[in-house]
Amino acid sequence: MHHPKAARRLTARQTFVLGAATALGPLSIDLYLPAFPELARELGASEAAVQLTLTACVVGLALGQLVAGPVSDAVGRRVPIAVGLGAWALASFACALAPSIATFTALRFTQGLAGAAGVVVARAVVRDLVSGPELVRSFSKLMLVVGVVPILAPTLGGLLLERTSWRGLFVVLGVLGALLTVVVFVGLRESLPADRRRSGVRRALGSYKLLLLDRGFVGAAAVVSLTFSALFIYVSSSSFVLREVFDLTPGQFGLLFGVNSVGLVLGNQVSGLLANRWPAAVMLPRAVGLGLFGAVLVLVAGLTGALGVVGVVVPLFVIVFSVGAAMPVASSRAMNAHPERAGAASALLGVLQFAVGGALAPLVGLAGSATVLPLAGLMTACLLGSLLVLRFTRRSAGALATA
């Protein structure tokens, strides 16, 4: 089999295949968002319990990456990603048959655990093939493919709910997972030659220890985690908040969510275009600061009720745009410094962002969805925290940016 040592840039086929694999995360999250109220009624579950099913999936995604990353460093990228995708498809079909909220939550955890391989290995493959400023552009291209999922999935979910139940949505996920398994198995070449592989539990743990002792990596990972958490809080809570506060139908919510998610794609592409013009030390504070401004506007809209749903949705667009611009830069900085540990670095990066996001998201449900204030307050706190981390790790971040 051909083992590419380096590539100047990702091909269109590589971008599509890796983007499709990475899309498992947002696909697991977004398609069933419009069905939250219906799912709660059918299974007799509370709002917080339904949001916990999302958290369970995210925790599975996080823990699975801890295993999938080092495994891909040891045996190569192609087999772990194909096996993970196949298992994710089976778990999706099982979710459609869940008889209770407890069973459904456990299956969602399993689904996340299996889907972790697609997320972590795709990011490692990109790092195998490119580096430097091209890594930022490659992540931006990857996220362009991934960005289509948050745009289309809730809209598709809302439309499907008019013709089927929430269980039908998971049948759709299972079919898509099976197709993705075939696409990845056929269209992805091995990117990690045998002479570059690292095996053994001790080496894997050693890689994690080295990464966690690297202040620059930890700082970049913290920025990724907090910035992603702001987006994840919005994604996990917006169905209850927007539908109940503003009395939106599933179709209306899906449309608004889809329009808002265009900001993610735009932010990704702006980030890629500016990769050679603005260093990370300039780009990241500006992107995160813009997101913080948007979060404060949502907070003001929640306190005053000004402009109704428009006063909330427009600032949310600003936040999603800023997250789209910040994530490729922060991710590339975290991945750039340790190319020989790309799988472990990708896993740790994924674990941290999903763990933080998954822990914070249920707080909105516990606070209630009668107003947008809990949603706005948590998003503001996350983006403010991200900005503070950037300030306190500025020297290490600068070193990483030039690595």
Side-chain angles (χ1 to χ4, degrees), residues 19-31:
T22 309
L24 285 185
L27 195 61
S28 300
I29 293 166
D30 293 331
L31 189 70

Side-chain angles (χ1 to χ4, degrees), residues 58 62 221-222 224-230 232-233 350-363 382:
V58 171
V224 170
S225 300
L226 289 169
T227 305
F228 171 81
S229 293
F232 186 71
I233 288 166
V351 166
L352 291 173
Q353 72 183 63
F354 281 117
V356 174
L360 293 177
L363 297 180
C382 287

